[in-house]
């Protein structure tokens, strides 16, 4: 959309190239836009894609259950140039994944959630902290079943940081933001 409100449709999703994008786009350092769709693709359970400014769409990943399914959060481009994101389900335990994707679309599953102490079903964006690690939330899972806050390194070392118990909050659906004081801030949907 131009600043004056003139709207131009760049891509129409058709279930083959993706369907139901839920998260916003992120502009990569190469000038292209990157995003995910919740459905569609070769397996019907979501895609990661690249869109050029002229609307040329390149489907980079068609998610399959082993590498994740149904991505909901926005991608984050890391300082290394790769993109990082989460899927709501799929992975080794069907509880979601954290994945890394090159700009060419090569995916790597960094973590498959178990639904236990590490959490399950992430819905929100990842954020890269000042320390170079990524931080995120899971909507469910943990010792109490109310979700978690976690840290993951770009190489995949995973550390659960907070287990929500209902008193300190429950079911974080949104992402975190790092404040100027270095702390992370976020919300929970319930609790």
């Amino acid at each position: 959309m131009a600043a004056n409100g003139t709207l131009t449709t760049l891509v129409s999703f058709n279930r083959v190239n993706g369907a139901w994008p839920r998260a916003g786009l992120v502009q990569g350092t190469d000038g292209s836009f990157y995003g995910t769709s919740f459905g569609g693709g070769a397996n019907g359970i979501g895609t990661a894609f690249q869109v050029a400014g002229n609307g040329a769409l390149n489907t980079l990943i068609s998610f399959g259950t082993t590498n994740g399914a149904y991505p909901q959060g926005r991608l984050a481009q890391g300082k290394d140039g790769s993109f990082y994101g989460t899927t709501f389900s799929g992975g080794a335990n069907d509880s979601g994944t954290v994945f890394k994707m090159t700009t060419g679309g090569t995916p790597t599953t960094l973590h498959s959630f178990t639904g236990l102490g590490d959490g399950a079903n992430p819905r929100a964006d990842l954020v890269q902290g000042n320390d170079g690690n990524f931080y995120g939330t899971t909507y469910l899972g943990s010792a109490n079943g109310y979700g978690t806050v976690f840290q993951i390194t770009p190489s995949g070392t995973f550390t659960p940081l907070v287990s929500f118990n209902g008193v300190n909050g429950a079911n974080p659906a949104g992402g975190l933001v790092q404040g100027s004081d270095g702390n992370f801030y976020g919300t929970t949907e319930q609790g």
Side-chain angles (χ1 to χ4, degrees):
M1 183 186 79
N4 67 1
T6 303
L7 184 67
T8 303
T9 300
L10 295 176
V11 174
S12 290
F13 291 98
N14 60 22
R15 296 195 182 184
V16 174
N17 64 5
W20 311 300
R22 292 189 173 180
L25 298 172
V26 61
Q27 189 169 24
T29 55
D30 62 0
S32 294
F33 296 91
Y34 293 82
T36 60
S37 69
F38 182 73
N43 302 302
I45 53 179
T47 67
F49 59 86
Q50 173 193 42
V51 178
N54 65 2
L57 176 71
N58 183 15
T59 301
L60 299 172
I61 299 174
S62 280
F63 287 99
T65 54
T66 56
N67 69 346
Y70 306 112
Q72 295 189 39
R74 181 189 314 243
L75 295 171
Q77 188 168 30
K79 295 173 184 172
D80 61 0
S82 294
F83 290 89
Y84 294 79
T86 62
T87 63
F88 183 76
S89 60
N93 306 294
D94 199 27
S95 294
T97 66
V98 178
F99 67 90
K100 175 182 181 176
M101 176 185 77
T102 66
T103 54
T106 303
T108 302
T109 301
L110 296 178
H111 184 77
S112 284
F113 291 96
T114 65
L116 303 173
D118 62 341
N121 310 112
R123 294 173 62 178
D125 313 340
L126 294 174
V127 62
Q128 189 168 31
N130 296 336
D131 61 2
N133 296 314
F134 290 89
Y135 294 82
T137 61
T138 64
Y139 189 72
L140 298 172
S142 82
N144 305 296
Y146 293 123
T148 63
V149 176
F150 63 87
Q151 175 198 71
I152 189 164
T153 67
S155 62
T157 302
F158 185 91
T159 306
L161 300 174
V162 175
S163 180
F164 290 103
N165 60 24
V167 176
N168 66 353
N171 310 113
L176 301 169
V177 63
Q178 188 168 26
S180 58
D181 60 1
N183 293 317
F184 291 88
Y185 294 83
T187 60
T188 61
E189 193 172 272
Q190 300 182 65

